[in-house]
Amino acid sequence: MTTISILVSVAGILSVTAQAETPVERGHYLVEGVLTCGNCHSPRGPGGVIDSTKLYSGGPQTWDEPTFTVRGANITPDAASGIGKWSDDDIKKALSEGIRPSGGPLAPIMPYGFYKIFTTGDLEAIVAYLRSVPAVSNAVQPPIYKAALHVDTPPGADKPMTEADLRDPVRHGFYLVTVAHCMECHTPRVNDRLDFANLGKGGQTFRGPWGETMSRNITSHPEKGIGAWSDDDIKRAITQGIRKDGSHLKPPMGFAWYARMTDADLGDIVAYLRTVPARE
Ligand code: HEC
Ligand code: HEC
């Protein structure tokens, strides 16, 4: 796959180079950026700071829900406590279908409902990158499932996109917003199902060390949503957690990961968000 990548030099000078990106490089860009995998799969030290010596070896938090109690799994290549023994197909199946090699389903906190849309190339790139990260031994408490699990997939995201789809800026923006699982947090939940008729309307509550936050309306509504924000306002909120009025947003949105996206990718996200029907 040949792509144009924008390299920012240390001096901050923009240089544009055409180069062939390897699958590991593409996987690195996706996993360490828009996909925020590390946000759920890396241990944190004091103050919630990610422990960079143990990246991807298991998440800090336990999700204790009526239907399951799980923690972010160790997804490093460690054979005993990670996914070192899984085949490439095993990893792909876990990502896009939420099924483990043993056949059991994963709790939908792992956003696999949003990963069915991955292009074949991106899915392969993610696997290649996961295989390249250092193996870390860290046994994570095994999952407990208490009832049948269900998973929600946004309309239009139920099958892989093609490279050709991604050439259209709005389609590409939809792809990125889906795999970034933005709408998993920014769509209301009704009876524990995502209400996609109100896509982007916000209203879910998140509790954590930061206190309590509620996801906001990111539809194109001019007052209730972000319809009146400039492109730069929207990009700043996504990458720095700063609102149009200058106030700071709180977690759990993964601003630091999203900040690693290229400006072109952010631009396509904005282009797509502008098409999300206004809701209030
Ligand atoms: C919102 C949090 C979250 C995000 C984002 C997330 N995961 Fe997960 N993931 C989980 C949780 C929680 C589990 C364990 C689920 C269970 O045990 O049922 C899991 C399980 C997995 C598993 C199965 C491993 C095992 O041993 O069971 C793999 C592989 C995986 N995730 C890879 C990824 C990759 C790659 C990404 C980024 C593309 C990612 N995850 C993004 C929360 C997340
Ligand atoms: C894990 C949940 C989660 C994910 C994923 C997430 N967000 Fe958010 N987002 C939130 C929460 C919660 C807030 C409000 C935080 C606060 O008020 O302090 C927020 C705030 C925002 C805001 C500010 C809106 C306003 O009116 O202030 C924008 C814009 C936004 N998110 C866009 C996005 C986009 C685009 C993505 C995907 C690239 C995304 N979010 C992914 C939870 C999430």
Side-chain angles (χ1 to χ4, degrees), residues 70-104:
V70 298
R71 297 193 58 171
N74 181 336
I75 56 168
T76 73
D78 186 59
S81 61
I83 56 170
K85 288 188 186 145
W86 295 28
S87 70
D88 287 5
D89 281 345
D90 289 342
I91 302 176
K92 288 184 198 167
K93 213 167 165 185
L95 284 170
S96 53
E97 295 172 49
I99 297 174
R100 280 176 209 285
S102 62

mmCIF file of all heavy atoms in Angstrom, residues 70-104:
data_model
loop_
_atom_site.group_PDB
_atom_site.id
_atom_site.type_symbol
_atom_site.label_atom_id
_atom_site.label_comp_id
_atom_site.label_asym_id
_atom_site.label_seq_id
_atom_site.Cartn_x
_atom_site.Cartn_y
_atom_site.Cartn_z
ATOM 1 N N VAL A 70 -15.078 -7.772 33.830
ATOM 2 C CA VAL A 70 -13.879 -8.027 33.021
ATOM 3 C C VAL A 70 -12.835 -6.919 33.213
ATOM 4 O O VAL A 70 -13.149 -5.819 33.663
ATOM 5 C CB VAL A 70 -14.208 -8.113 31.510
ATOM 6 C CG1 VAL A 70 -15.155 -9.259 31.205
ATOM 7 C CG2 VAL A 70 -14.789 -6.798 30.985
ATOM 8 N N ARG A 71 -11.607 -7.250 32.849
ATOM 9 C CA ARG A 71 -10.541 -6.246 32.784
ATOM 10 C C ARG A 71 -9.935 -6.272 31.392
ATOM 11 O O ARG A 71 -10.042 -7.267 30.684
ATOM 12 C CB ARG A 71 -9.464 -6.591 33.809
ATOM 13 C CG ARG A 71 -10.012 -6.542 35.214
ATOM 14 C CD ARG A 71 -8.914 -6.575 36.219
ATOM 15 N NE ARG A 71 -7.998 -5.454 36.007
ATOM 16 C CZ ARG A 71 -7.031 -5.150 36.856
ATOM 17 N NH1 ARG A 71 -6.849 -5.854 37.941
ATOM 18 N NH2 ARG A 71 -6.221 -4.139 36.599
ATOM 19 N N GLY A 72 -9.299 -5.181 31.022
ATOM 20 C CA GLY A 72 -8.608 -5.138 29.727
ATOM 21 C C GLY A 72 -7.573 -6.250 29.715
ATOM 22 O O GLY A 72 -6.763 -6.359 30.636
ATOM 23 N N ALA A 73 -7.602 -7.110 28.688
ATOM 24 C CA ALA A 73 -6.725 -8.279 28.627
ATOM 25 C C ALA A 73 -5.278 -7.874 28.329
ATOM 26 O O ALA A 73 -5.012 -6.774 27.854
ATOM 27 C CB ALA A 73 -7.238 -9.210 27.533
ATOM 28 N N ASN A 74 -4.353 -8.806 28.624
ATOM 29 C CA ASN A 74 -2.957 -8.637 28.226
ATOM 30 C C ASN A 74 -2.884 -9.002 26.739
ATOM 31 O O ASN A 74 -3.109 -10.149 26.367
ATOM 32 C CB ASN A 74 -2.074 -9.578 29.069
ATOM 33 C CG ASN A 74 -0.591 -9.460 28.741
ATOM 34 O OD1 ASN A 74 -0.219 -9.039 27.640
ATOM 35 N ND2 ASN A 74 0.256 -9.829 29.677
ATOM 36 N N ILE A 75 -2.612 -8.009 25.895
ATOM 37 C CA ILE A 75 -2.576 -8.273 24.442
ATOM 38 C C ILE A 75 -1.155 -8.187 23.880
ATOM 39 O O ILE A 75 -0.950 -7.966 22.696
ATOM 40 C CB ILE A 75 -3.570 -7.374 23.659
ATOM 41 C CG1 ILE A 75 -3.319 -5.875 23.918
ATOM 42 C CG2 ILE A 75 -5.010 -7.731 24.010
ATOM 43 C CD1 ILE A 75 -4.082 -4.934 22.962
ATOM 44 N N THR A 76 -0.157 -8.347 24.768
ATOM 45 C CA THR A 76 1.235 -8.430 24.290
ATOM 46 C C THR A 76 1.497 -9.881 23.834
ATOM 47 O O THR A 76 0.723 -10.786 24.164
ATOM 48 C CB THR A 76 2.256 -8.059 25.391
ATOM 49 O OG1 THR A 76 2.335 -9.121 26.359
ATOM 50 C CG2 THR A 76 1.899 -6.748 26.079
ATOM 51 N N PRO A 77 2.641 -10.096 23.113
ATOM 52 C CA PRO A 77 2.930 -11.461 22.637
ATOM 53 C C PRO A 77 3.413 -12.422 23.725
ATOM 54 O O PRO A 77 3.947 -13.480 23.396
ATOM 55 C CB PRO A 77 4.039 -11.240 21.599
ATOM 56 C CG PRO A 77 4.086 -9.790 21.325
ATOM 57 C CD PRO A 77 3.577 -9.106 22.549
ATOM 58 N N ASP A 78 3.243 -12.126 25.006
ATOM 59 C CA ASP A 78 3.652 -13.066 26.045
ATOM 60 C C ASP A 78 2.840 -14.361 25.887
ATOM 61 O O ASP A 78 1.615 -14.320 25.815
ATOM 62 C CB ASP A 78 3.416 -12.453 27.428
ATOM 63 C CG ASP A 78 3.973 -13.336 28.534
ATOM 64 O OD1 ASP A 78 5.189 -13.598 28.520
ATOM 65 O OD2 ASP A 78 3.193 -13.795 29.388
ATOM 66 N N ALA A 79 3.555 -15.504 25.863
ATOM 67 C CA ALA A 79 2.868 -16.773 25.564
ATOM 68 C C ALA A 79 1.922 -17.181 26.690
ATOM 69 O O ALA A 79 0.826 -17.671 26.436
ATOM 70 C CB ALA A 79 3.886 -17.868 25.301
ATOM 71 N N ALA A 80 2.335 -16.986 27.936
ATOM 72 C CA ALA A 80 1.513 -17.475 29.050
ATOM 73 C C ALA A 80 0.386 -16.522 29.418
ATOM 74 O O ALA A 80 -0.768 -16.938 29.563
ATOM 75 C CB ALA A 80 2.407 -17.731 30.261
ATOM 76 N N SER A 81 0.672 -15.230 29.554
ATOM 77 C CA SER A 81 -0.366 -14.317 30.048
ATOM 78 C C SER A 81 -0.934 -13.409 28.964
ATOM 79 O O SER A 81 -1.916 -12.709 29.194
ATOM 80 C CB SER A 81 0.191 -13.478 31.205
ATOM 81 O OG SER A 81 1.294 -12.705 30.770
ATOM 82 N N GLY A 82 -0.330 -13.423 27.775
ATOM 83 C CA GLY A 82 -0.815 -12.565 26.687
ATOM 84 C C GLY A 82 -1.402 -13.388 25.555
ATOM 85 O O GLY A 82 -1.952 -14.462 25.790
ATOM 86 N N ILE A 83 -1.255 -12.871 24.317
ATOM 87 C CA ILE A 83 -1.865 -13.567 23.181
ATOM 88 C C ILE A 83 -0.798 -14.155 22.249
ATOM 89 O O ILE A 83 -1.034 -14.356 21.064
ATOM 90 C CB ILE A 83 -2.840 -12.639 22.411
ATOM 91 C CG1 ILE A 83 -2.146 -11.345 21.939
ATOM 92 C CG2 ILE A 83 -4.056 -12.294 23.271
ATOM 93 C CD1 ILE A 83 -3.001 -10.507 20.976
ATOM 94 N N GLY A 84 0.389 -14.457 22.830
ATOM 95 C CA GLY A 84 1.505 -14.981 22.042
ATOM 96 C C GLY A 84 1.190 -16.275 21.309
ATOM 97 O O GLY A 84 1.782 -16.567 20.272
ATOM 98 N N LYS A 85 0.267 -17.061 21.866
ATOM 99 C CA LYS A 85 -0.022 -18.363 21.221
ATOM 100 C C LYS A 85 -1.170 -18.269 20.226
ATOM 101 O O LYS A 85 -1.510 -19.255 19.586
ATOM 102 C CB LYS A 85 -0.367 -19.396 22.292
ATOM 103 C CG LYS A 85 0.827 -19.839 23.115
ATOM 104 C CD LYS A 85 0.421 -21.008 23.998
ATOM 105 C CE LYS A 85 1.525 -21.398 24.954
ATOM 106 N NZ LYS A 85 0.984 -21.851 26.238
ATOM 107 N N TRP A 86 -1.779 -17.105 20.127
ATOM 108 C CA TRP A 86 -2.914 -16.969 19.202
ATOM 109 C C TRP A 86 -2.395 -16.859 17.765
ATOM 110 O O TRP A 86 -1.365 -16.224 17.522
ATOM 111 C CB TRP A 86 -3.729 -15.715 19.520
ATOM 112 C CG TRP A 86 -4.432 -15.697 20.840
ATOM 113 C CD1 TRP A 86 -4.061 -16.340 21.989
ATOM 114 C CD2 TRP A 86 -5.640 -14.980 21.158
ATOM 115 N NE1 TRP A 86 -4.965 -16.053 23.000
ATOM 116 C CE2 TRP A 86 -5.941 -15.223 22.515
ATOM 117 C CE3 TRP A 86 -6.487 -14.144 20.428
ATOM 118 C CZ2 TRP A 86 -7.047 -14.673 23.151
ATOM 119 C CZ3 TRP A 86 -7.586 -13.593 21.063
ATOM 120 C CH2 TRP A 86 -7.866 -13.864 22.404
ATOM 121 N N SER A 87 -3.118 -17.423 16.814
ATOM 122 C CA SER A 87 -2.755 -17.263 15.408
ATOM 123 C C SER A 87 -3.240 -15.893 14.926
ATOM 124 O O SER A 87 -4.043 -15.234 15.610
ATOM 125 C CB SER A 87 -3.401 -18.366 14.553
ATOM 126 O OG SER A 87 -4.804 -18.140 14.489
ATOM 127 N N ASP A 88 -2.776 -15.484 13.746
ATOM 128 C CA ASP A 88 -3.245 -14.208 13.187
ATOM 129 C C ASP A 88 -4.779 -14.222 13.062
ATOM 130 O O ASP A 88 -5.452 -13.244 13.370
ATOM 131 C CB ASP A 88 -2.642 -13.972 11.794
ATOM 132 C CG ASP A 88 -1.152 -13.599 11.875
ATOM 133 O OD1 ASP A 88 -0.605 -13.628 12.996
ATOM 134 O OD2 ASP A 88 -0.570 -13.298 10.832
ATOM 135 N N ASP A 89 -5.305 -15.359 12.603
ATOM 136 C CA ASP A 89 -6.759 -15.440 12.440
ATOM 137 C C ASP A 89 -7.487 -15.363 13.777
ATOM 138 O O ASP A 89 -8.568 -14.779 13.864
ATOM 139 C CB ASP A 89 -7.146 -16.732 11.699
ATOM 140 C CG ASP A 89 -6.927 -16.590 10.193
ATOM 141 O OD1 ASP A 89 -6.763 -15.440 9.732
ATOM 142 O OD2 ASP A 89 -6.908 -17.612 9.493
ATOM 143 N N ASP A 90 -6.879 -15.947 14.819
ATOM 144 C CA ASP A 90 -7.492 -15.849 16.161
ATOM 145 C C ASP A 90 -7.635 -14.376 16.554
ATOM 146 O O ASP A 90 -8.663 -13.947 17.082
ATOM 147 C CB ASP A 90 -6.603 -16.525 17.219
ATOM 148 C CG ASP A 90 -6.574 -18.039 17.121
ATOM 149 O OD1 ASP A 90 -7.487 -18.610 16.480
ATOM 150 O OD2 ASP A 90 -5.636 -18.648 17.677
ATOM 151 N N ILE A 91 -6.573 -13.599 16.318
ATOM 152 C CA ILE A 91 -6.590 -12.187 16.729
ATOM 153 C C ILE A 91 -7.620 -11.418 15.903
ATOM 154 O O ILE A 91 -8.404 -10.633 16.433
ATOM 155 C CB ILE A 91 -5.183 -11.551 16.609
ATOM 156 C CG1 ILE A 91 -4.173 -12.331 17.454
ATOM 157 C CG2 ILE A 91 -5.219 -10.085 17.044
ATOM 158 C CD1 ILE A 91 -2.729 -11.844 17.337
ATOM 159 N N LYS A 92 -7.660 -11.704 14.605
ATOM 160 C CA LYS A 92 -8.626 -11.011 13.735
ATOM 161 C C LYS A 92 -10.054 -11.317 14.165
ATOM 162 O O LYS A 92 -10.922 -10.444 14.155
ATOM 163 C CB LYS A 92 -8.430 -11.452 12.283
ATOM 164 C CG LYS A 92 -7.161 -10.909 11.662
ATOM 165 C CD LYS A 92 -7.110 -11.324 10.203
ATOM 166 C CE LYS A 92 -5.712 -11.199 9.658
ATOM 167 N NZ LYS A 92 -5.548 -11.871 8.380
ATOM 168 N N LYS A 93 -10.295 -12.570 14.539
ATOM 169 C CA LYS A 93 -11.647 -12.978 14.948
ATOM 170 C C LYS A 93 -12.039 -12.290 16.258
ATOM 171 O O LYS A 93 -13.189 -11.875 16.441
ATOM 172 C CB LYS A 93 -11.667 -14.502 15.135
ATOM 173 C CG LYS A 93 -12.985 -15.101 14.766
ATOM 174 C CD LYS A 93 -12.861 -16.613 14.646
ATOM 175 C CE LYS A 93 -14.258 -17.209 14.643
ATOM 176 N NZ LYS A 93 -14.266 -18.651 14.655
ATOM 177 N N ALA A 94 -11.074 -12.153 17.167
ATOM 178 C CA ALA A 94 -11.365 -11.461 18.429
ATOM 179 C C ALA A 94 -11.700 -9.998 18.136
ATOM 180 O O ALA A 94 -12.628 -9.425 18.708
ATOM 181 C CB ALA A 94 -10.170 -11.557 19.383
ATOM 182 N N LEU A 95 -10.946 -9.389 17.206
ATOM 183 C CA LEU A 95 -11.158 -7.969 16.913
ATOM 184 C C LEU A 95 -12.479 -7.711 16.200
ATOM 185 O O LEU A 95 -13.218 -6.815 16.570
ATOM 186 C CB LEU A 95 -10.009 -7.439 16.043
ATOM 187 C CG LEU A 95 -8.698 -7.184 16.783
ATOM 188 C CD1 LEU A 95 -7.580 -6.898 15.795
ATOM 189 C CD2 LEU A 95 -8.852 -6.014 17.735
ATOM 190 N N SER A 96 -12.779 -8.500 15.179
ATOM 191 C CA SER A 96 -13.953 -8.132 14.387
ATOM 192 C C SER A 96 -15.216 -8.882 14.777
ATOM 193 O O SER A 96 -16.312 -8.437 14.449
ATOM 194 C CB SER A 96 -13.665 -8.277 12.895
ATOM 195 O OG SER A 96 -13.177 -9.553 12.635
ATOM 196 N N GLU A 97 -15.065 -10.000 15.498
ATOM 197 C CA GLU A 97 -16.283 -10.724 15.887
ATOM 198 C C GLU A 97 -16.416 -10.865 17.396
ATOM 199 O O GLU A 97 -17.454 -11.331 17.890
ATOM 200 C CB GLU A 97 -16.288 -12.126 15.264
ATOM 201 C CG GLU A 97 -16.371 -12.108 13.748
ATOM 202 C CD GLU A 97 -16.184 -13.510 13.170
ATOM 203 O OE1 GLU A 97 -16.846 -14.447 13.657
ATOM 204 O OE2 GLU A 97 -15.357 -13.661 12.271
ATOM 205 N N GLY A 98 -15.363 -10.537 18.145
ATOM 206 C CA GLY A 98 -15.429 -10.664 19.598
ATOM 207 C C GLY A 98 -15.450 -12.102 20.060
ATOM 208 O O GLY A 98 -15.994 -12.407 21.115
ATOM 209 N N ILE A 99 -14.829 -12.991 19.262
ATOM 210 C CA ILE A 99 -14.812 -14.409 19.633
ATOM 211 C C ILE A 99 -13.375 -14.835 19.924
ATOM 212 O O ILE A 99 -12.462 -14.553 19.159
ATOM 213 C CB ILE A 99 -15.429 -15.275 18.509
ATOM 214 C CG1 ILE A 99 -16.893 -14.875 18.344
ATOM 215 C CG2 ILE A 99 -15.312 -16.763 18.824
ATOM 216 C CD1 ILE A 99 -17.593 -15.540 17.189
ATOM 217 N N ARG A 100 -13.205 -15.493 21.082
ATOM 218 C CA ARG A 100 -11.888 -16.003 21.463
ATOM 219 C C ARG A 100 -11.594 -17.329 20.774
ATOM 220 O O ARG A 100 -12.524 -18.015 20.373
ATOM 221 C CB ARG A 100 -11.924 -16.385 22.948
ATOM 222 C CG ARG A 100 -11.786 -15.343 23.906
ATOM 223 C CD ARG A 100 -11.971 -16.039 25.280
ATOM 224 N NE ARG A 100 -12.515 -15.076 26.207
ATOM 225 C CZ ARG A 100 -11.779 -14.129 26.731
ATOM 226 N NH1 ARG A 100 -10.500 -14.049 26.456
ATOM 227 N NH2 ARG A 100 -12.333 -13.264 27.528
ATOM 228 N N PRO A 101 -10.305 -17.752 20.755
ATOM 229 C CA PRO A 101 -9.973 -19.057 20.162
ATOM 230 C C PRO A 101 -10.775 -20.187 20.807
ATOM 231 O O PRO A 101 -11.141 -21.144 20.145
ATOM 232 C CB PRO A 101 -8.480 -19.219 20.446
ATOM 233 C CG PRO A 101 -7.967 -17.839 20.665
ATOM 234 C CD PRO A 101 -9.101 -17.018 21.194
ATOM 235 N N SER A 102 -11.096 -20.065 22.097
ATOM 236 C CA SER A 102 -11.861 -21.113 22.780
ATOM 237 C C SER A 102 -13.318 -21.108 22.341
ATOM 238 O O SER A 102 -14.086 -21.979 22.721
ATOM 239 C CB SER A 102 -11.796 -20.879 24.288
ATOM 240 O OG SER A 102 -12.392 -19.624 24.586
ATOM 241 N N GLY A 103 -13.719 -20.099 21.585
ATOM 242 C CA GLY A 103 -15.101 -20.015 21.106
ATOM 243 C C GLY A 103 -15.968 -19.081 21.918
ATOM 244 O O GLY A 103 -17.032 -18.696 21.484
ATOM 245 N N GLY A 104 -15.507 -18.713 23.104
ATOM 246 C CA GLY A 104 -16.323 -17.858 23.974
ATOM 247 C C GLY A 104 -16.336 -16.412 23.507
ATOM 248 O O GLY A 104 -15.395 -15.965 22.852
#
